[in-house]
Amino acid sequence: MAPKRTLADDLEDDFALDNDYVSGSEDVQAEVDAPEPVKATKKRTSETPAKADNLNKRTKTVATTDKPSGKGTTASKFAVPSEANDQADTWNKYMKKAHPGITDLELADKLMLPQHIYTTTPAPSDSYLEDLAKTAVSTGKSKNKVMHGAPQVLVICSSALRVIDLVKRLRPVSKRGVLKLFSRHIKISDQIKSLKTTAVDIAVGTPNRILKLLTEEALKVNRLRLVVIDCWQDDKMRVVIDMDDTRKDLFSIWQDVLLPASANPDYGFKFRLV
């Protein structure tokens, strides 16, 4: 039997406004991030000093050459470009990588263009995401005033734990609650019912659950002002736009829902990779 694969949404959680998420979230993060204890090895008394030195050298070599990913190559930090042209090119590059059989002609109709990117002049800072969200929430206006299940800011990230982290950061941005959208042990039908009666400015979630809610039209885009692609790297140096568990759904959100909606003159949302 094949081993069970861990997916981005594999975390127990109850869907609710951000009022309830804080309890226990720090404990979950600490448990996940805690390193495994290393067992001390008993030194062999029969070893000569020369053998012991050789053993230490071999041990140091293994420790320093251990790679997080790839074959014989060191994974590097993902650099998020700042210019609109470069952001669009980066998105399109990884979209093509996610669909290896797609032709340039087929891809041409799905491309993200510089005009889709939110342009910003301030240099990124530790509060960059919060500043972007504040701008969208404070200035966002829509002809359609329905707010149930219709956020102004949608943040898409790689895992449930990352969702919890960003929800905590974004709580002060809006007087309304911040929705956390991932699927582990949460029925899609229950989330659909909640979205029908929930007024929200900000939603944070993983690609799979966001795609399902958009497809069901429970999560609406009529008030959407900003879509943030969170390019945070996990401990294996993976990013949401290049992870096997997330990239297919992520690019489907763009191709099947947001790209067609962007042609609607009543909608005025932009994208930003951060």
Side-chain angles (χ1 to χ4, degrees):
M1 180 180 294
K4 183 178 179 182
R5 187 177 68 173
T6 302
L7 300 177
D9 283 342
D10 283 355
L11 175 71
E12 293 186 8
D13 192 64
D14 295 323
F15 173 79
L17 291 178
D18 193 38
N19 301 337
D20 302 326
Y21 96 95
V22 178
S23 177
S25 62
E26 290 82 359
D27 295 335
V28 172
Q29 182 68 55
E31 182 179 349
V32 171
D33 290 343
E36 294 183 1
V38 179
K39 295 182 180 179
T41 46
K42 190 175 181 180
K43 184 177 179 181
R44 295 174 58 185
T45 56
S46 60
E47 287 180 337
T48 64
K51 288 183 178 179
D53 289 342
N54 290 336
L55 178 60
N56 289 336
K57 289 179 181 179
R58 290 199 300 271
T59 304
K60 290 179 180 178
T61 301
V62 171
T64 55
T65 57
D66 185 27
K67 304 297 188 298
S69 62
K71 296 182 179 180
T73 59
T74 304
S76 59
K77 181 176 177 58
F78 183 83
V80 180
S82 58
E83 298 297 325
N85 286 335
D86 296 332
Q87 288 224 345
D89 288 344
T90 298
W91 176 269
N92 295 329
K93 168 188 171 182
Y94 283 96
M95 181 166 59
K96 185 172 184 178
K97 183 179 178 181
H99 300 87
I102 195 171
T103 66
D104 290 340
L105 183 61
E106 293 171 328
L107 186 65
D109 293 333
K110 306 177 186 297
L111 293 176
M112 183 176 287
L113 304 176
Q115 67 198 48
H116 294 127
I117 303 296
Y118 175 75
T119 56
T120 177
T121 51
S125 62
D126 292 340
S127 61
Y128 185 55
L129 175 62
E130 294 90 328
D131 294 340
L132 285 175
K134 286 177 183 177
T135 301
V137 169
S138 62
T139 62
K141 296 180 181 180
S142 174
K143 296 178 181 179
N144 191 335
K145 300 301 181 181
V146 176
M147 292 183 292
H148 293 165
Q152 291 178 295
V153 179
L154 178 63
V155 182
I156 308 176
C157 50
S158 58
S159 68
L161 284 174
R162 183 60 176 170
V163 170
I164 291 175
D165 181 41
L166 295 187
V167 165
K168 182 178 180 180
R169 287 173 52 183
L170 292 169
R171 283 184 72 188
V173 174
S174 173
K175 294 180 180 179
R176 298 187 178 93
V178 179
L179 288 178
K180 47 185 177 182
L181 306 174
F182 49 87
S183 58
R184 189 64 174 172
H185 298 314
I186 305 174
K187 293 181 180 180
I188 187 74
S189 57
D190 292 340
Q191 283 192 335
I192 291 174
K193 290 178 182 177
S194 296
L195 285 167
K196 287 181 178 179
T197 57
T198 301
V200 61
D201 285 327
I202 303 172
V204 186
T206 53
N208 181 263
R209 181 43 57 101
I210 289 175
L211 178 61
K212 289 180 179 178
L213 292 171
L214 286 170
T215 303
E216 293 289 338
E217 298 184 352
L219 186 63
K220 300 177 176 62
V221 299
N222 57 291
R223 292 179 69 240
L224 198 57
R225 304 294 300 174
L226 179 65
V227 179
V228 175
I229 309 300
D230 174 50
C231 294
W232 169 82
Q233 286 180 291
D234 64 10
D235 56 357
K236 295 182 180 179
M237 307 300 283
R238 301 176 302 176
V239 185
V240 65
I241 62 175
D242 197 30
M243 292 173 63
D244 291 339
D245 296 337
T246 58
R247 62 185 181 184
K248 182 179 179 181
D249 291 329
L250 175 64
F251 292 118
S252 291
I253 291 172
W254 164 248
Q255 297 167 12
D256 301 337
V257 182
L258 297 181
L259 178 58
S262 68
N264 188 329
D266 290 339
Y267 299 160
F269 57 85
K270 298 286 185 179
F271 281 76
R272 189 73 191 175
L273 277 65
V274 301

